[in-house]
Amino acid sequence: MFCNSLCRFLKFQSMARSKKAAGVSRHIRISSIQAPLMGSPLGTRSTIPTTRVLGPTAIAREEAERQKRFVLDSAGLSRPMLKLLQELRGDESAVAEAPSQGREGIPATGTDAHRVHGTADAQWGIRRYQDQRTWRQRTQRLHSNWDSLMEPLANAYLVWKCPSPSLVPMIVPTISPPDVDSLDAAENYDFTIDVLDIYSLAKEVTIHRSMHLTAAEALVAAGYLGCSPTQPSLAISLGTLERFRQTQLCEASFSLGAYAKVICELYMIPFQRKYRTALTKAFDVYLSIRRYIDQRTAETQG
């Protein structure tokens, strides 16, 4: 009988342990990496991993401290900045209403934006803006920006192609090579940009620009074509693009990727895909400019 009682007791203990192991723990384990304190002896590890186990009370305390720090960091932000912070957090209840003492209608300043991003970075790590547009929307926007500049780009191309005033058609009287001496020192719009040119092998050039020309027009007037219609960071010389067009007319299998490798070999730099992408974008726009000029010539000749 004693053996039966002992067996029942051991069975009950094993069932209790299994139920306890199968249950859901209300404790959480937090692992983090901390930098060593100032004044630490030499040879100390650059990072110190730490692990903490928090119970329900400690979790509530941590949440209250986190909410308190968030309220202090977001105090004084305008409504647009609070709305931006709300989108970053993804929690509508966590963002308090902005004070109504004349904050409506006041544009957000750069300081507010830095505070918002600093708060977000401190709590969720470094976050970057993700473009929610589709590839089709981005492509349509890019083509729309280029189409609006097609006529002035064609005029600038003709001025570069025919520098003599007697050869410039009368339909392009608005574009002329920029006169550096006539520019006021306070109205100097010159800029420097990285370029690819198989003839000069220049790495960057300074483009002289007047206040009446966009960056894309000034580049074409100087003999270069940017890879972006608004803020180009790299430009390809028109001679380089024309050389590829003539080469492809003779050998259609010669690709832009191979041409980009040739350019990198001439510059004695490692090949990178960004050069092929830049050549592709610039060459498409270059062909569009030539087609636009051919179409306008055909319309003029009837």
Side-chain angles (χ1 to χ4, degrees):
M1 185 174 181
F2 174 77
C3 293
N4 294 336
S5 300
L6 180 60
C7 291
R8 285 197 300 271
F9 176 76
L10 294 177
K11 183 178 181 181
F12 175 78
Q13 289 291 335
S14 62
M15 292 177 60
R17 292 194 190 98
S18 63
K19 290 182 179 180
K20 183 177 180 181
V24 179
S25 175
R26 301 181 62 185
H27 294 69
I28 62 173
R29 185 181 300 273
I30 300 178
S31 299
S32 60
I33 298 178
Q34 298 180 355
L37 299 177
M38 296 182 62
S40 302
L42 296 177
T44 306
R45 296 178 58 183
S46 59
T47 57
I48 304 175
T50 60
T51 302
R52 295 183 300 163
V53 179
L54 303 181
T57 305
I59 294 174
R61 189 184 306 111
E62 287 287 333
E63 179 65 22
E65 290 293 333
R66 186 191 65 81
Q67 187 66 21
K68 182 178 178 180
R69 290 194 302 268
F70 170 74
V71 172
L72 292 177
D73 291 337
S74 61
L77 295 181
S78 59
R79 288 184 181 274
M81 290 295 100
L82 285 175
K83 185 177 180 181
L84 174 61
L85 186 58
Q86 175 180 342
E87 295 176 355
L88 292 175
R89 289 173 59 92
D91 185 7
E92 299 181 359
S93 61
V95 179
E97 290 293 332
S100 59
Q101 288 82 3
R103 298 297 297 181
E104 292 83 354
I106 300 179
T109 61
T111 305
D112 290 341
H114 287 303
R115 292 179 64 183
V116 168
H117 290 291
T119 303
D121 293 345
Q123 298 192 19
W124 302 285
I126 299 178
R127 302 189 61 168
R128 296 291 183 265
Y129 170 74
Q130 295 183 356
D131 194 351
Q132 302 297 331
R133 297 175 300 173
T134 62
W135 175 259
R136 180 179 181 180
Q137 292 173 343
R138 293 196 296 267
T139 304
Q140 289 179 347
R141 183 64 179 271
L142 178 64
H143 290 171
S144 177
N145 291 335
W146 278 119
D147 291 341
S148 62
L149 294 173
M150 194 53 59
E151 182 176 359
L153 289 182
N155 296 342
Y157 175 79
L158 290 176
V159 171
W160 171 80
K161 193 72 174 179
C162 308
S164 178
S166 60
L167 299 178
V168 177
M170 296 301 296
I171 58 175
V172 289
T174 57
I175 302 296
S176 60
D179 186 3
V180 182
D181 297 333
S182 62
L183 295 177
D184 193 296
E187 298 181 354
N188 189 5
Y189 295 90
D190 299 352
F191 61 95
T192 302
I193 187 172
D194 297 336
V195 296
L196 294 177
D197 189 355
I198 61 174
Y199 296 100
S200 65
L201 296 182
K203 295 184 178 180
E204 62 179 16
V205 295
T206 300
I207 304 299
H208 303 293
R209 172 192 171 193
S210 65
M211 62 181 299
H212 304 291
L213 293 178
T214 62
E217 296 176 58
L219 281 171
V220 175
Y224 296 91
L225 184 59
C227 301
S228 172
T230 53
Q231 296 180 349
S233 58
L234 179 65
I236 315 297
S237 68
L238 296 177
T240 302
L241 298 174
E242 178 61 23
R243 176 60 62 186
F244 176 75
R245 188 186 72 86
Q246 295 175 356
T247 304
Q248 201 173 45
L249 288 177
C250 300
E251 183 59 46
S253 62
F254 189 65
S255 64
L256 276 168
Y259 193 51
K261 292 180 180 179
V262 171
I263 295 177
C264 292
E265 183 67 23
L266 292 176
Y267 273 89
M268 293 186 293
I269 57 177
F271 170 75
Q272 298 182 14
R273 289 183 296 176
K274 65 178 182 180
Y275 298 121
R276 181 187 61 188
T277 304
L279 279 171
T280 302
K281 294 180 179 179
F283 188 68
D284 290 342
V285 178
Y286 178 72
L287 293 181
S288 299
I289 293 175
R290 291 185 61 91
R291 284 194 296 266
Y292 181 85
I293 294 175
D294 294 341
Q295 180 182 0
R296 193 165 64 178
T297 303
E299 293 176 355
T300 303
Q301 294 178 354

